Each structure stands twice: as structure tokens, then as C-alpha cells.
Amino acid sequence: MINRRHFLAASGASVFFAGFPMRGYAQRAEVGKVGVILLEGGMDGLAAVPPVGDQSLKKQRKGLIASTPIALNPFFALHPSLAQFARMLAANEAAIVHATSIPYQKRSHFEGQNLMQSGGREAFASQSGWLGRAMELAGIPGKALALDMPLIVRGGEDLDNLFPVNLKNVVPPKAELIALLEAEHDGDMQAALEKLRIRAMGEALMPLRRNPGSLALEAGKEMAKPDGPNVAVVRITDFDTHAHQGTNDGMLPQRLALIDETFKGFKTGLGPAWKNSIILTLTEFGRTVKENGSEGTEHGYGTAALLAGGLIKRANVVANWPGLSDKELFEGRDLMATLDYRAVCAAAMEAAFGLDHDLVADQVFGEKNLAHVHGLIFGA
């Protein structure tokens, strides 16, 4: 079967696939490709996309601002570690959403990471993820090829995943043998054999190197295949920058560089399929506005999100900016989130899967009044 190193990275990164075409499912040509980059630990959106036009920025966090940010417009800039993403912005194939967050304010990693994947308001209340539910609405098979099927791609029905092993003298079953067995059986046995066929597909995946950029590159290549998955999830850890966060270099700039390489990897791997793709970041919360006593930041609320792909037609920074003065901060310490990030996820589902916004808002996120921001991000 598949070696563990194909999916588990020692560097704190891993990749998961979902939505493999299967017999009996019509694969619609207009269905796009979706990549989600999970940033575990709480990414500091004010460092990644500093609001240099806010007069309170330097006063509040002088020791956390990179000295050579990339100017985007008179108000926002981009951390220099995100140079590849900046080029995508210049090519009108990327966008930024700032002052956003999932609707979670308690600052627990465990609860926040569960909610960013489930898409709900109550932690550990759902057995499925928002992306998995959206795939079901779009009629995309919810099969996942993963070490431990992540919550975000789990659907409500017919869950199945792969647990890779590497046992001596064990070889994958031949496709011809599976086909012969399927011809002799029906019902439950045929369904079980179909699962075996999906598992056997895994051997074709190339060995992956252990960094997010390489994982994204190989994920993009698989997604670009006619029989490849519709969805890939790349996980990057260690955004919990309590100490020595860094400005031009250091812990956070290194993590931002990994995000940059991940976007680049997806674009390169997808090739022509990039034009029908959307890649977006997702994190559980932001960081405090002010620096702590250890040259770092604490768990916060509002943050920034990065999106890229050919489905975006015009570069933009979407933000209803709340301000950074003390009186404008959430609970006197955090960037206020003025947009529910689930609205951005819903817009991505509308763009990639052709799903109606109201349907996604209600059946995927359980929020009938979720803001409709598709035009702000994907409008020409």
C-alpha cells in the first residue's frame, strides 16, 4: 500500500486528498479544485498583512513590524516573506480578507481548530466538516485518502478513509483482479470492492518530500489529473508565536515563507487546472495586537486570510477595518473581526462548486443570514 512518508511530514506539515471520481458519479466539468491550507496555532494577521495606514499600528506593536513590507495600497502591506503571493496579487489571481475570523472568541487551540474545520459555533458538536458537507451538496464523492481523515473533509454519510501501511511482502491488489471480483458480486460486497479499488489508487501517488511546498506541488499534480481528487488539504503547524515571533526573520517569518511556498506549489502542480481553482488559508484565531514580554503575542481574535487561484479575477484586500486604537480593540487586546470567515468559505464553495450561497449558508454552515461576499472576492 502507501508508505506513511507520503502523507506524514516530520516538519509539521501533511497533506490530505478528498473527492476522488468514482464509478456511478458524473464528474461535472465545471466543478473546480479547492485547496485549503490549515494554519494551526493562530496566524498573526497583523504581521502577515500589516495595516500600515492605521496610525495606531506602530504605537501598538512597534517591535512586531517587518522593516521592508511589500506595499499593496496606501493602507495595507504584505510581509516580505510572502513574495510569491505578492506576485499572484500583481497578476490579479489572489485576494486578502482582513479583520476576519471564525465566530469563536475563547482562544483555545483545541476548540478553535475543531470549529474552523466543522464550520459550526459549538465545539465538538459535529461529526462532519464544512468542506465535506459542501462536497456532498455538489455531488462530489466524499472519499478521502488520508492518514487520519481530517474533520474538514468529512461528510455526513458514507465516510471512508485510507490508513497507509508499509508491511514487508505486502503488495497492493491488481486493478484487473478487483474488476473481476466486482463483476461477480453486487450490493455490499461490490461497495467494499469499490473501496478497495480507491485504496489501490494510492500506490500511484509519488513519494512526497517533507515540506509544505513539496506537498502542495504533488497535491496540485494529483488534482490536475482527470481522475484526481477535487480537494486537497495541507496542514502547517507552529503558528503559536508566544515568544521570539520575529519581524524580518525568526519564527513567524519562517512560517509565512512556508505559506508562500505552499501557494507556489499548488499553482505549479495544478498547471492549466489553476484557472479553475481556489486555494485559501484557514486558522483558528489571530494574535494579540500588542507584543508580550517575550517578544511574541498571545491568542487573539481577528486575523487575515490569503486566497489565490484562477477563479479570482481581480486582486483585492477585502476589509471593513475596525481600527487599532485601544478603544477599538476586541476586549481591549485583539483585532476586532468584522467579517465571519465562514462567509469567505461559502463564497469559495459558490465559485468552485457552483453552489447557491443561501443553500451553503443554511445547509453547510447553519447560518441563514451569512454575508454574501462572493462578488467582493470573485467579481470581475
Side-chain angles (χ1 to χ4, degrees):
M1 299 295 283
I2 304 175
N3 191 298
R4 285 175 61 96
R5 64 190 173 91
H6 288 175
F7 292 98
L8 184 63
S11 62
S14 50
V15 62
F16 309 88
F17 299 106
F20 284 89
M22 294 173 57
R23 298 177 191 176
Y25 286 89
Q27 194 69 358
R28 297 181 300 166
E30 68 270 19
V31 173
K33 304 293 184 177
V34 176
V36 178
I37 308 173
L38 297 178
L39 310 178
E40 294 187 347
M43 194 269 286
D44 188 345
L46 291 172
V49 188
V52 293
D54 190 316
Q55 296 182 354
S56 297
L57 178 65
K58 290 184 179 180
K59 176 183 176 182
Q60 296 284 33
R61 50 163 46 206
K62 181 171 58 176
L64 297 174
I65 306 172
S67 61
T68 57
I70 302 169
L72 300 179
N73 59 38
F75 197 86
F76 290 107
L78 195 66
H79 194 281
S81 293
L82 295 167
Q84 301 286 346
F85 186 80
R87 294 187 182 96
M88 295 178 188
L89 284 167
N92 284 314
E93 54 186 24
I96 296 169
V97 181
H98 217 319
T100 185
S101 179
I102 61 171
Y104 175 69
Q105 303 171 349
K106 294 183 180 180
R107 308 184 182 97
S108 162
H109 289 303
F110 302 104
E111 293 181 348
Q113 289 174 16
N114 178 269
L115 288 172
M116 75 178 185
Q117 295 195 49
S118 73
R121 285 184 174 270
E122 183 179 350
F124 307 106
S126 177
Q127 300 300 313
S128 63
W130 62 262
L131 187 51
R133 295 192 295 271
M135 289 168 64
E136 285 186 343
L137 281 180
I140 300 171
K143 303 297 182 182
L145 188 62
L147 203 65
D148 57 338
M149 183 189 291
L151 177 62
I152 189 172
V153 294
R154 296 180 193 173
E157 300 178 0
D158 196 21
L159 296 180
D160 184 36
N161 67 302
L162 170 71
F163 189 89
V165 297
N166 185 22
L167 301 178
K168 187 176 180 179
N169 298 323
V170 174
V171 296
K174 299 291 185 181
E176 296 83 357
L177 176 59
I178 297 174
L180 287 172
L181 290 171
E182 283 183 313
E184 297 295 324
H185 297 87
D186 55 15
D188 292 342
M189 179 59 74
Q190 194 171 54
L193 289 167
E194 178 65 21
K195 291 182 179 182
L196 185 62
R197 189 179 67 81
I198 294 296
R199 284 169 165 79
M201 288 170 54
E203 193 192 11
L205 295 175
M206 295 176 62
L208 303 179
R209 287 173 289 175
R210 303 186 179 208
N211 62 77
S214 295
L215 294 174
L217 174 65
E218 298 299 338
K221 290 178 180 178
E222 293 300 320
M223 295 167 77
K225 295 178 180 179
D227 59 347
N230 287 92
V231 170
V233 178
V234 173
R235 177 181 290 158
I236 309 176
T237 61
D238 298 331
F239 284 88
D240 197 18
T241 51
H242 287 285
H244 307 296
Q245 177 169 308
T247 53
N248 297 319
D249 51 37
M251 181 177 179
L252 181 60
Q254 291 170 3
R255 307 320 286 176
L256 295 179
L258 290 180
I259 298 175
D260 205 45
E261 288 300 315
T262 303
F263 275 109
K264 178 185 177 182
F266 268 120
K267 181 177 181 179
T268 302
L270 282 161
W274 174 257
K275 68 178 184 297
N276 197 30
S277 301
I278 179 65
I279 315 298
L280 65 156
T281 63
L282 183 61
T283 192
E284 64 263 43
F285 43 62
R287 315 295 300 183
T288 49
V289 171
K290 296 181 180 180
E291 179 181 347
N292 63 21
S294 301
E295 300 177 354
T297 51
E298 305 302 326
H299 301 176
Y301 182 33
T303 186
L306 310 178
L307 300 91
L311 289 173
I312 295 174
K313 307 304 180 187
R314 176 174 54 89
N316 195 10
V317 180
V318 178
N320 179 12
W321 192 247
L324 292 179
S325 67
D326 287 342
K327 66 180 181 180
E328 294 168 322
L329 303 183
F330 174 71
E331 295 185 349
R333 48 171 279 166
D334 303 332
L335 173 66
M336 176 66 74
T338 57
L339 176 64
D340 186 336
Y341 190 63
R342 297 178 303 171
V344 178
C345 298
M349 297 301 93
E350 182 177 351
F353 296 161
L355 294 173
D356 178 74
H357 168 78
D358 291 340
L359 189 67
V360 174
D362 184 24
Q363 297 192 27
V364 174
F365 295 107
E367 298 279 353
K368 292 185 177 180
N369 296 321
L370 198 64
H372 190 195
V373 298
H374 177 275
L376 293 175
I377 301 171
F378 298 97

